[in-house]
Amino acid sequence: MARAQEPQTMDHEQEAVFEWAPHWPSGGPLRVSHTSCCGRYEWGCEGGSFFVLRSTADGYQETGRGRYRQALDVYIALAEAHNAEHVRRGETPEPDTFLSQKGRRG
């Protein structure tokens, strides 16, 4: 498992590409079924919508809310950037089964 010893600057650059907003419950139970390397991102769904969550000092934020494939593409982009940062630092990122779905259509 990868454990970051240095600040993770790439994540913030990649995250800036996506619009993050506070996560507000929108109906139905919140289900988080997948977590990325280091717990940086979580794959969630709620009330028929899918999205990516991240934890901040102020609570949770979300991005990519929408249909399954739209949100999955956002998750993959963020998780790949996070893993690439580990590789640049000479670390081995934790395996992520969602990254193997990149070419699939859901």
Side-chain angles (χ1 to χ4, degrees):
M1 280 204 262
R3 294 290 171 241
Q5 300 298 319
E6 301 174 20
Q8 299 179 10
T9 57
M10 178 60 184
D11 287 343
H12 299 295
E13 292 172 15
Q14 180 67 29
E15 288 173 351
V17 173
F18 298 98
E19 184 176 328
W20 292 89
H23 172 72
W24 299 107
S26 63
L30 170 63
R31 292 188 173 96
V32 173
S33 59
H34 189 79
T35 303
S36 73
C37 174
C38 302
R40 182 69 188 129
Y41 305 108
E42 296 178 323
W43 171 255
C45 70
E46 180 180 56
S49 291
F50 296 87
F51 44 86
V52 180
L53 290 169
R54 69 176 178 185
S55 180
T56 68
D58 298 323
Y60 278 95
Q61 293 181 331
E62 68 174 63
T63 192
R65 183 177 280 270
R67 293 180 183 229
Y68 178 89
R69 188 65 212 188
Q70 170 192 341
L72 182 61
D73 287 345
V74 170
Y75 175 89
I76 288 171
L78 290 165
E80 283 180 338
H82 178 78
N83 284 0
E85 181 61 24
H86 278 297
V87 171
R88 277 191 283 284
R89 290 192 311 255
E91 302 168 351
T92 302
E94 297 171 16
D96 190 324
T97 55
F98 274 23
L99 297 184
S100 64
Q101 295 184 29
K102 186 175 181 180
R104 297 183 190 169
R105 292 288 164 207

